[in-house]
Amino acid sequence: MSGSAGIQQGSPAIGAAGSAPAAPGAGGTEGSGATVGSARIAVKKAQLRSSPRPKKLEKLGVYSSCKAEGACKCNSWKSQNPPPTPPRTDQQPNTFNLQDPCRSCSHTLGDHVTHLENVSEEEMNRLLGIALDVEYLNTCVHKEEDADTKQVYFSLFKLLRKCILQMGRPVVEAQESPPFEKPSIEQGVNNFVQYKFSHLPSKERQTIVELAKMFLNQINYWQLETPSQRRQRAPADDAAGYKVNYTRWLCYCNVPQFCDSLPRYETTQIFGRTLLRSVFTVMRKQLLEQARQEKDKLPPEKRTLILTHFPKFLSMLEEEVYSHSSPIWSKTHLTFTPLCIMTVISAPPVVRPLYYNSSPVSVDPSSCGSVSPARKTASVLEPSPGGQKRKPSEPLPHEETKKLRIVGDIPMELINEVMATITDPASMLGPETSLLSAHSARDEAARLEERRGVIEFHVIGNSLNQKPNKRILMWLVGLQNVFSHQLPRMPKEYITRLVFDPKHKTLSLIKDGRVIGGICFRMFPSQSFTEIVFCAVTSNEQVKGYGTHLMNHLKEYHIKHDILNFLTYADEYAIGYFKKQGFSKDIKVPKAKYLGYIKDYEGATLMGCELNPSIPYTEFSVIIKKQKEIIKKLIERKQAQIRKVYPGLSCFKEGVRQIPIESIPGIRETGWKPVGKGKELKDPDQLYSTLKTILQHVKSHQNAWPFMEPVKKTEAPGYYQVIRFPMDLKTMSERLKSRYYTTRKLFMADMQRIFTNCREYNPPESEYYKCANLLEKFFYTKIKEAGLIEK
């Protein structure tokens, strides 16, 4: 394909947020050239739409049919003095006058625009946008050398010309409409992350999600090679199938990025495995090559992520893409839990980005737009500096993580087997497991409605610096009406002032295009808290879990912005609601932080809520429910194994008075184990002296050096995200001095925790792992010598 048309094989910079492709004639294919080209089109449209109405009529008259009396059949106005070069709409003179005659029908330009005299300004601007898109597509047709691409450009050119003539809206005519394959690429990658990495600790899983987002973003801005180029590179591939997908991609994804009058879709949302297979090998090769070439330009926090973990991620994904039996592409039985993988887009698409299949549109808040309150995952995985006391965990394939289990934990194979039954819809049909049963979470119904696209959540606000957005202003008025109606004791003027105050934002709940609820708040980043001012849902939409789901979205929005405290003055009717959402009268924020910032309301109670950044609040109840289901299934499996009836004991009839418990048939199958026998020292001083001696021996051992003091965060980043109950010999010494160890079991439990933590965090081949094993053996030798357990 010709480079002059601005469409070439390639990708945006690795690790970047993504950039729009170059518009035809913009003189570039990616990076800054693409941005400049798209911006140039947008600027020209903005200038034209701000022109006087006569200028707009002159512009549209060129593309309109003649309306003069006598049933004139002229379909477009043509200049009497055309340029000597072939006609190009983008090079036509701009000095038209409504009195100039048409070269085709001799009627004036004014006769071509009589039908537009009473058209609204909004409709006029829409048609002007189509007119400029027609000019750019005409440029594409003239510059493009590839026959297949030229044909698509020409078809879209005719479609938009027809829309101006008929004042209609462009609809691409095709046998199939998007999406063209299910599951989509986005859902498949989402399933892959859950399938392969759901067992990882939270921080490492977030890193994988960040890699998935990066990969999806690359696909959305990837420029497909033309069918002719592909035939030369891979003649044995399905040429006809690729040509169909290439045509669809041009019509629905590529061209609409610079011709915004056409409906635009994301590549990852309307295409599936077939298209991914056709581009994956080449794309992977070019991405990795580009990463190696630009490694010195990458920001330090992205370098490890892209150079080390991204290649491994792509290799694992490649196996699933080309595997004939991969479960991530199942259309029926597999339903992985979504992980909030959101694609990054340069402009609001026609279909919403994926957020549990129903995410709202993401817009920059500074432009009075709306921002999805979906939580943003971490993007940095710290590298492992040399000589660390503990080695941080790396994102590993499922098979390599078996060594990270704590001794005594449930095998990962069993967990995966149980998870497969939990995610099977057929196993969730029972009344006790119904998603909408009496025991389901308060926000369950609201969450399902959001996934189906029935409701949307947007963070919106007024602005004095940006041009007002009509939709946002309508929503703000709707919020003011909801708050006024639901909070009758609050002055309406006061509500209006705060809702439209640029310093305040409102998380709005939208249903069927209208506002039905919201939470108005003001953020104080310097003070590390947010004040919740108003919170209400319209009366006929209450008792549906909307209030809980609203608050959960607000919590995730604030976690994304690193604000972890809410404060609010709740009246007597709202105290119950806020208590259910985790608020209490025990305020965690120091008074000096909020005094003079938060508004004081007479007769109201100050309540606060501290957020946990590790909790995905909008999905928290689903996670808890799934955990309960897993425990229930494990119990059922265990019961099925031990549910066996043994004959009654007959030995007592024969005069036996007592038998060992372990000799009872079936007792060991229940999991019962004999209690370790040992001498429990009753004298506290004697116990203290014995434990002190044992601890001194352990600390003096040659393998005790890794465990002498608590692990430092600077030496082992992420250690305390993996190890929830740390322990070390220094802490044990302090506990011993404070007489914490009132029994031998407490002492042994803390010592065992040191060894267990080490084996959980470090691989078996590491020096620390070996030290833990040797020291553990020595410790139990000393315990036995002291007579605290049997030899």
Side-chain angles (χ1 to χ4, degrees):
M1 188 185 297
S2 170
S4 59
I7 301 176
Q8 295 180 355
Q9 178 79 3
S11 70
I14 300 284
S19 56
T29 60
E30 60 188 55
S32 59
T35 306
V36 170
S38 299
R40 186 185 304 168
I41 299 173
V43 168
K44 191 169 183 179
K45 286 186 178 182
Q47 291 175 344
L48 188 58
R49 286 164 176 163
S50 61
S51 302
R53 192 173 179 89
K55 290 292 183 184
K56 295 181 180 180
L57 290 172
E58 290 170 4
K59 185 71 174 179
L60 290 174
V62 175
Y63 301 95
S64 302
S65 58
C66 184
K67 303 297 187 297
E69 296 180 1
C72 181
K73 296 183 179 180
C74 177
N75 276 331
S76 62
W77 187 88
K78 296 180 178 63
S79 171
Q80 287 292 323
N81 299 302
T85 56
R88 291 266 302 276
T89 56
D90 60 324
Q91 294 182 357
Q92 286 182 350
N94 294 321
T95 56
F96 302 136
N97 188 287
L98 293 177
Q99 303 304 318
D100 289 345
C102 175
R103 183 162 52 92
S104 296
C105 65
S106 299
H107 293 115
T108 63
L109 178 59
D111 290 330
H112 286 252
V113 295
T114 53
H115 64 296
L116 299 173
E117 292 176 356
N118 297 321
V119 169
S120 67
E121 203 69 13
E122 183 178 354
E123 177 65 7
M124 184 86 75
N125 288 337
R126 185 184 73 83
L127 293 173
L128 285 169
I130 298 178
L132 281 180
D133 287 344
V134 166
E135 294 179 2
Y136 280 110
L137 281 172
N138 186 68
T139 304
C140 290
V141 173
H142 278 77
K143 288 187 175 182
E144 185 55 53
E145 296 176 0
D146 179 78
D148 296 318
T149 310
K150 183 190 286 284
Q151 184 179 359
V152 174
Y153 286 162
F154 186 65
S155 298
L156 295 176
F157 168 84
K158 291 193 297 182
L159 170 66
L160 295 184
R161 283 283 287 111
K162 184 178 179 181
C163 287
I164 299 176
L165 285 171
Q166 300 179 356
M167 297 179 65
R169 296 187 178 274
V171 177
V172 179
E173 297 180 1
Q175 293 181 347
E176 292 183 57
S177 58
F180 303 113
E181 189 175 358
K182 293 183 179 181
S184 65
I185 296 173
E186 194 166 43
Q187 186 61 54
V189 173
N190 200 350
N191 291 343
F192 165 74
V193 172
Q194 180 71 1
Y195 174 55
K196 286 290 188 180
F197 305 101
S198 61
H199 58 279
L200 292 178
S202 176
K203 185 175 181 180
E204 296 174 9
R205 191 168 67 253
Q206 287 177 354
T207 301
I208 298 299
V209 171
E210 186 70 18
L211 292 172
K213 289 167 60 179
M214 185 189 305
F215 175 75
L216 291 172
N217 188 52
Q218 294 293 328
I219 296 177
N220 282 330
Y221 290 104
W222 193 261
Q223 303 298 309
L224 299 187
E225 57 187 345
T226 65
S228 58
Q229 290 173 335
R230 184 173 177 80
R231 280 194 297 270
Q232 295 175 3
R233 184 179 61 81
D237 285 358
D238 180 15
Y242 181 81
K243 183 177 180 180
V244 170
N245 276 337
Y246 176 77
T247 302
R248 291 169 172 172
W249 172 77
L250 278 177
C251 292
Y252 293 99
C253 304
N254 182 262
V255 174
Q257 292 192 58
F258 52 85
C259 292
D260 59 10
S261 55
L262 290 167
R264 177 183 173 226
Y265 297 81
E266 292 296 289
T267 305
T268 55
Q269 293 179 342
I270 64 173
F271 293 99
R273 189 183 190 183
T274 303
L275 181 70
L276 185 58
R277 279 181 165 181
S278 65
V279 302
F280 191 94
T281 304
V282 175
M283 181 178 176
R284 176 175 177 269
K285 181 179 178 181
Q286 291 191 19
L287 286 177
L288 297 181
E289 180 62 26
Q290 186 179 356
R292 284 190 290 269
Q293 292 176 356
E294 299 178 359
K295 61 181 180 181
D296 295 330
K297 300 178 184 178
L298 294 173
E301 66 272 16
K302 290 281 188 181
R303 198 165 295 155
T304 302
L305 186 72
I306 294 171
L307 297 179
T308 305
H309 303 299
F310 196 44
K312 191 171 187 178
F313 174 88
L314 291 177
S315 296
M316 294 179 67
L317 179 58
E318 187 174 29
E319 292 180 8
E320 303 301 321
V321 169
Y322 293 104
S323 170
H324 295 289
S325 58
S326 173
I328 71 171
W329 304 104
S330 173
K331 299 179 182 179
T332 54
H333 67 278
L334 194 62
T335 54
F336 291 113
T337 304
L339 291 178
C340 305
I341 300 177
M342 294 188 65
T343 53
V344 183
I345 57 175
S346 60
V350 176
V351 292
R352 293 185 294 272
L354 177 66
Y355 179 71
Y356 307 116
N357 294 330
S358 60
S359 169
V361 177
S362 296
V363 184
D364 184 358
S366 63
S367 61
C368 266
S370 59
V371 180
S372 167
R375 181 178 173 186
K376 194 173 184 179
T377 53
S379 61
V380 180
L381 180 69
E382 294 90 340
S384 305
Q388 289 182 350
K389 184 174 287 187
R390 304 287 197 275
K391 182 180 179 182
S393 305
E394 298 289 333
L396 298 173
H398 169 257
E399 294 74 18
E400 297 179 31
T401 58
K402 297 175 184 177
K403 63 190 178 188
L404 299 178
R405 290 193 299 108
I406 300 176
V407 176
D409 275 358
I410 300 171
M412 187 58 69
E413 295 83 356
L414 178 58
I415 293 293
N416 288 335
E417 187 178 341
V418 172
M419 282 288 291
T421 65
I422 298 299
T423 55
D424 185 357
S427 69
M428 302 289 284
L429 298 179
E432 69 279 3
T433 58
S434 172
L435 289 175
L436 296 179
S437 68
H439 303 289
S440 61
R442 288 189 297 272
D443 61 338
E444 191 68 64
R447 185 187 300 107
L448 291 175
E449 286 191 8
E450 184 185 8
R451 291 184 181 181
R452 295 197 305 267
V454 176
I455 59 175
E456 298 176 0
F457 294 88
H458 300 266
V459 175
I460 62 175
N462 195 13
S463 174
L464 299 179
N465 303 321
Q466 304 291 333
K467 186 178 179 180
N469 182 304
K470 183 178 179 181
R471 183 179 66 164
I472 301 301
L473 291 178
M474 291 294 293
W475 284 349
L476 289 173
V477 172
L479 286 164
Q480 184 259 359
N481 290 333
V482 170
F483 292 144
S484 299
H485 188 267
Q486 298 302 128
L487 307 171
R489 294 194 294 179
M490 193 68 67
K492 189 172 183 179
E493 296 78 8
Y494 179 69
I495 292 175
T496 304
R497 179 159 61 88
L498 293 191
V499 169
F500 284 88
D501 181 1
K503 295 178 181 178
H504 288 71
K505 295 180 181 179
T506 305
L507 172 59
S508 55
L509 170 57
I510 311 299
K511 186 174 184 178
D512 298 329
R514 61 185 180 86
V515 175
I516 64 169
I519 301 177
C520 182
F521 60 95
R522 180 174 178 180
M523 303 169 75
F524 295 96
S526 63
Q527 307 306 110
S528 302
F529 81 92
T530 281
E531 177 194 9
I532 294 178
V533 184
F534 308 124
C535 178
V537 175
T538 188
S539 55
N540 62 336
E541 296 287 357
Q542 291 178 2
V543 201
K544 295 182 179 180
Y546 291 153
T548 297
H549 207 42
L550 260 172
M551 186 61 71
N552 287 338
H553 268 298
L554 188 68
K555 289 175 180 177
E556 293 207 345
Y557 177 82
H558 278 78
I559 288 173
K560 173 185 172 184
H561 289 83
D562 297 323
I563 298 179
L564 303 181
N565 284 284
F566 287 158
L567 291 177
T568 187
Y569 272 99
D571 62 26
E572 55 182 321
Y573 302 106
I575 290 177
Y577 164 77
F578 282 110
K579 280 185 177 180
K580 292 177 181 177
Q581 308 310 318
F583 286 72
S584 72
K585 298 176 185 178
D586 180 18
I587 309 300
K588 302 294 184 182
V589 182
K591 193 171 183 179
K593 284 274 191 180
Y594 65 83
L595 197 62
Y597 287 87
I598 188 170
K599 292 175 282 293
D600 195 354
Y601 293 91
E602 184 179 349
T605 303
L606 182 63
M607 302 183 73
C609 177
E610 186 176 16
L611 306 181
N612 186 330
S614 299
I615 296 178
Y617 284 96
T618 55
E619 293 294 311
F620 189 59
S621 60
V622 174
I623 294 172
I624 296 300
K625 180 179 178 63
K626 183 161 288 189
Q627 289 176 346
K628 289 180 179 179
E629 291 288 341
I630 291 173
I631 297 298
K632 180 182 175 183
K633 292 287 184 182
L634 290 172
I635 292 174
E636 290 176 355
R637 283 170 175 257
K638 190 66 178 178
Q639 288 177 340
Q641 293 172 5
I642 65 176
R643 197 169 289 159
K644 182 178 179 181
V645 179
Y646 291 88
L649 297 173
S650 59
C651 58
F652 299 108
K653 294 181 179 180
E654 300 169 3
V656 177
R657 288 181 173 271
Q658 184 177 341
I659 62 172
I661 296 177
E662 56 266 29
S663 66
I664 300 175
I667 192 70
R668 288 186 180 275
E669 286 79 357
T670 65
W672 177 88
K673 293 180 181 179
V675 179
K677 296 180 181 179
K679 182 175 66 175
E680 186 68 76
L681 300 177
K682 300 294 180 71
D683 184 0
D685 292 332
Q686 186 182 357
L687 176 64
Y688 172 80
S689 177
T690 303
L691 297 182
K692 182 179 179 181
T693 302
I694 295 173
L695 187 58
Q696 286 295 344
H697 283 299
V698 171
K699 292 170 69 174
S700 301
H701 195 272
Q702 62 180 357
N703 292 306
W705 62 269
F707 316 111
M708 297 299 290
E709 294 184 349
V711 177
K712 296 179 181 178
K713 293 182 179 179
T714 55
E715 294 179 352
Y719 179 83
Y720 291 98
Q721 278 72 44
V722 178
I723 303 302
R724 301 294 176 157
F725 303 102
M727 185 51 60
D728 60 276
L729 296 175
K730 181 181 179 181
T731 301
M732 289 190 67
S733 297
E734 293 171 352
R735 288 187 168 189
L736 183 64
K737 288 179 182 179
S738 64
R739 301 295 178 116
Y740 167 81
Y741 298 117
T742 56
T743 67
R744 62 184 172 89
K745 290 183 179 179
L746 283 174
F747 181 79
M748 293 172 63
D750 274 357
M751 188 67 74
Q752 185 61 52
R753 175 52 59 184
I754 293 176
F755 308 136
T756 303
N757 286 346
C758 180
R759 285 191 286 261
E760 179 186 1
Y761 191 76
N762 298 287
E765 65 273 10
S766 68
E767 187 177 3
Y768 311 114
Y769 199 105
K770 296 173 183 176
C771 285
N773 288 343
L774 293 172
L775 190 62
E776 181 182 34
K777 185 177 180 181
F778 174 76
F779 168 69
Y780 279 102
T781 300
K782 289 299 177 183
I783 285 287
K784 291 175 183 178
E785 289 177 358
L788 297 183
I789 62 173
E790 287 187 342
K791 296 183 180 180

